[in-house]
Amino acid sequence: MKKDNLQTLSVIGLGYIGLPAAAMFASRKVRVIGVDINKVAVDTINDGRIHIVEPELDMIVHAAVSEGYLRATTIAEAADAFVIAVPTPFVGDHEPDLSYVKAAVLSIAPVLRKGNLIILESTSPVGTTESMVEWLALARPDLSFPRAANDRPDVHIAYCPERVLPGKVVRELVANDRIIGGISKSCAERAIEVYRIFVEGELLVSDARTAEMSKLTENAFRDVNIAFANELSLICDNLNIDVWELIGLANHHPRVNILQPGCGVGGHCIAVDPWFIVHKTPEAAKLIKAAREINDRKPEWVREQVSELVEKASAHKSLREIKIACFGLAFKPDIDDLRESPAMQIVEQLGKAYPERVVAVEPNIATLPSTLKDIGVRLECMKEAVEGADILVLLVDHQEFKEFVPKLKSGQSLFDAKGIWSSKA
Ligand code: SAJ
C-alpha cells in the first residue's frame, strides 16, 4: 500500500506503542484516526497533548493534531489500513489474555472493506495473527481473508512487532529494523509499503508465526541474560565475592557480555513476554521459565537483605527509631514509570514491615503514588534522606544517584542493588 494509496490509517489503541506510531504516520502527512476506549486519552490527544510520558512525543502529537493529520475517537471508523496496538497482559497462572486484541479486531470488522490492510503490533503468542483471520472470516463472510492458498484476499493481514525502548521510542521507531510477518507473501508486501513511510531501518520479511515468536524471543533472551546476572549476584553474596568486579572482569573476555544484576526485572514486556512462550510449550521452555522465576524472586531477596541490616542495626538502636531510605522507585533508570516496578514492590513491602520508618527518593516524580503514601512512606530529597537514614537502599541506578555518591557516617549501612555506591550487592 504505497503512500499515495494510503489516504487514512487507523491506529487502534493509543498507549505507549500505538500513540507514537500514530504520531509518526501523521508527521509524514498520512491522515491518522486514532481509536481508544479511554475517553480521557482521546480528549487529551484531540487537545494536542499526550497522556503518557515519552520524550519528544508531545511536540510531534501537538503538531500532528494542530495540522489536522491526527484525530482521536472512541469508535472505529473506516480507513485504508489499520494498526492494532492494544495490550496483551496475562491472567491467572501466566495465561495470555487476548481479549483486547479480539475486541479490537471485532471493533474494526464492521468498517472493513475490500483492499484494506490490517497489521497487528501487539506482542502476541504464536498463532494470534492466524486467529485474527478466523475471527474476521466469521464476522465478515462477505470478504475474503488471506490463507496460505489464497494470496489475493480482499483484506491483507500481517504481524509486525514493535521493538522500541521506552524513553527512546521516537528515535527507535524510525531507526530500528522491523520484522514484517505476512500471513501470505502479498500481505508482507503491503505492510512493507506502509512502514516504509517512516522507518529508516531495514524491513525484514517473514511469516506471521516467526514474527510473533521473534518478538517473544528477543525479550526472553534479555530476561534469561538478566537472570544469569541476578543468579550470579546471589552466588557471589554466598561466596563473599564482589559481583560487579566479577562481571567487569569476565566481560573482558572477547565472547562474554554479562548483563547487570538489579533489584528485579520490571516493565510491561520483559517480565511478561517470556511467559507466552512457556504457556505454549511448557515442557520445552524450561530455561525460559527458570529465568522468569529467578528474576521474579529477586525483589524478595533484596527485601530480606534489608531486613538483615535492620536486624543488625537494632543491636545499637531501638527498632522503632531505625530509618530506611530507599533510592529509586521507577522500573528502570532515568524514567518516571513506576508501573510493574520491582523497586516499588520492595519499598511497599518495607513500608509495611517498618511503618513510618521508610522514605523514598525518586528524582523523576513529584508525588508518591497512594500505594506508598497510604502506608506512611514519605518522598524526600536526596540530601535529606541520606542525612536522616540508618540504612540506605539503592534500588535504581538513576543518573542523579550516579553523580552523588554518599559518604556513609558511622552507624549507617548500605545495601546497593546496582553496585554504584558500593560495588557490593
Ligand atoms: N534490567 C536489569 N539488568 C540489565 C538490563 C535491564 O536488571 O542489565 C532490568 C531493568 O532495570 C528493567 C527490566 O530489566 O527493570 C527491563 O528493562 P529493559 O531496559 O531491559 O527493557 P524494557 O522493558 O524497557 O524494553 C524491552 C526492550 N527489549 C529488549 O531489549 C530485547 C525493548 O526493545 C522492547 O521493545 C520492549 O522491551 C518491548 O516493548 O517489548
Side-chain angles (χ1 to χ4, degrees):
M1 186 171 285
K2 299 227 162 46
K3 186 168 176 237
D4 301 343
N5 303 332
L6 184 69
Q7 302 301 319
T8 52
L9 177 139
S10 180
V11 178
I12 317 294
L14 297 172
Y16 279 84
I17 298 306
L19 182 57
M24 291 318 293
F25 282 112
S27 73
R28 301 301 193 270
K29 307 211 179 305
V30 173
R31 294 207 179 274
V32 177
I33 306 162
V35 185
D36 202 292
I37 50 173
N38 177 351
K39 174 97 171 52
V40 177
V42 164
D43 291 344
T44 309
I45 294 162
N46 285 334
D47 261 1
R49 295 177 295 116
I50 62 175
H51 61 294
I52 57 174
V53 177
E54 182 58 45
E56 298 172 51
L57 186 62
D58 49 350
M59 288 177 326
I60 302 175
V61 168
H62 186 264
V65 172
S66 47
E67 287 167 19
Y69 286 104
L70 174 61
R71 172 171 64 82
T73 166
T74 52
I75 295 165
E77 295 176 20
D80 299 314
F82 296 85
V83 170
I84 298 176
V86 293
T88 42
F90 53 56
V91 283
D93 187 18
H94 304 112
E95 208 176 305
D97 175 5
L98 293 182
S99 59
Y100 296 95
V101 175
K102 191 165 185 185
V105 168
L106 296 181
S107 78
I108 61 172
V111 297
L112 282 182
R113 57 190 182 209
K114 202 172 169 180
N116 276 168
L117 166 69
I118 308 172
I119 297 169
L120 177 64
E121 283 199 6
S122 310
T123 302
S124 300
V126 173
T128 306
T129 317
E130 290 165 345
S131 299
M132 272 172 66
V133 174
E134 304 304 326
W135 299 332
L136 286 167
L138 279 177
R140 288 296 301 268
D142 55 317
L143 291 171
S144 71
F145 294 92
R147 314 265 172 185
N150 175 11
D151 204 14
R152 300 186 60 143
D154 290 337
V155 176
H156 288 84
I157 299 180
Y159 179 75
C160 307
E162 58 76 21
R163 307 155 107 186
V164 289
L165 198 69
K168 293 186 183 162
V169 167
V170 170
R171 200 170 346 133
E172 290 208 354
L173 260 181
V174 175
N176 286 4
D177 297 341
R178 249 192 128 118
I179 301 168
I180 312 287
I183 286 279
S184 65
K185 194 162 167 273
S186 68
C187 294
E189 283 162 4
R190 301 279 306 274
I192 283 184
E193 288 166 2
V194 167
Y195 285 106
R196 263 285 155 259
I197 293 172
F198 70 80
V199 175
E200 288 168 12
E202 251 185 273
L203 298 174
L204 309 156
V205 177
S206 184
D207 58 83
R209 289 175 75 84
T210 310
E212 288 162 344
M213 186 60 182
S214 86
K215 166 72 192 191
L216 304 179
T217 301
E218 290 158 15
N219 282 349
F221 171 85
R222 196 154 167 84
D223 197 45
V224 168
N225 281 277
I226 299 170
F228 182 74
N230 276 331
E231 185 164 282
L232 273 182
S233 75
L234 268 57
I235 294 169
C236 286
D237 185 67
N238 279 338
L239 300 179
N240 203 22
I241 289 172
D242 180 335
V243 69
W244 310 100
E245 184 192 354
L246 173 80
I247 291 175
L249 292 171
N251 281 351
H252 274 272
H253 185 288
R255 284 173 296 283
V256 173
N257 186 11
I258 304 168
L259 293 179
Q260 300 300 306
C263 67
V265 168
H268 327 283
C269 312
I270 297 200
V272 175
D273 304 354
W275 288 117
F276 292 180
I277 301 177
V278 176
H279 183 257
K280 275 268 178 234
T281 53
E283 286 307 316
K286 292 197 170 64
L287 175 64
I288 294 173
K289 183 169 187 241
R292 269 295 61 249
E293 287 165 351
I294 289 167
N295 287 334
D296 272 356
R297 157 88 182 116
K298 191 74 192 283
E300 187 58 27
W301 184 81
V302 170
R303 197 200 51 74
E304 286 162 11
Q305 302 301 303
V306 178
S307 293
E308 277 179 26
L309 292 180
V310 173
E311 197 67 29
K312 276 190 199 148
S314 68
H316 315 285
K317 204 169 182 176
S318 133
L319 199 56
R320 264 186 282 136
E321 286 170 22
I322 294 172
K323 292 234 165 64
I324 305 164
C326 299
F327 296 83
L329 292 173
F331 88 81
K332 65 180 203 171
D334 306 321
I335 60 165
D336 66 348
D337 194 346
L338 310 186
R339 294 169 310 158
E340 313 300 331
S341 166
M344 275 290 291
Q345 189 185 328
I346 293 164
V347 176
E348 196 178 331
Q349 285 177 2
L350 289 173
K352 284 181 181 155
Y354 309 106
E356 308 299 330
R357 279 169 286 159
V358 177
V359 300
V361 182
E362 177 45 77
N364 300 297
I365 60 167
T367 50
L368 276 184
S370 55
T371 39
L372 295 186
K373 243 192 267 176
D374 294 350
I375 56 168
V377 176
R378 287 196 325 278
L379 188 65
E380 281 191 356
C381 73
M382 191 133 71
K383 203 161 165 279
E384 192 184 0
V386 169
E387 280 295 309
D390 298 289
I391 298 163
L392 285 74
V393 184
L394 188 288
L395 296 172
V396 186
D397 48 341
H398 289 313
Q399 194 53 37
E400 289 85 349
F401 301 156
K402 289 185 189 161
E403 285 163 7
F404 174 83
V405 180
K407 281 205 176 62
L408 293 194
K409 293 184 295 192
S410 113
Q412 279 187 321
S413 57
L414 167 69
F415 179 82
D416 180 356
K418 291 305 296 182
I420 58 168
W421 284 354
S422 79
S423 58
K424 182 94 169 66

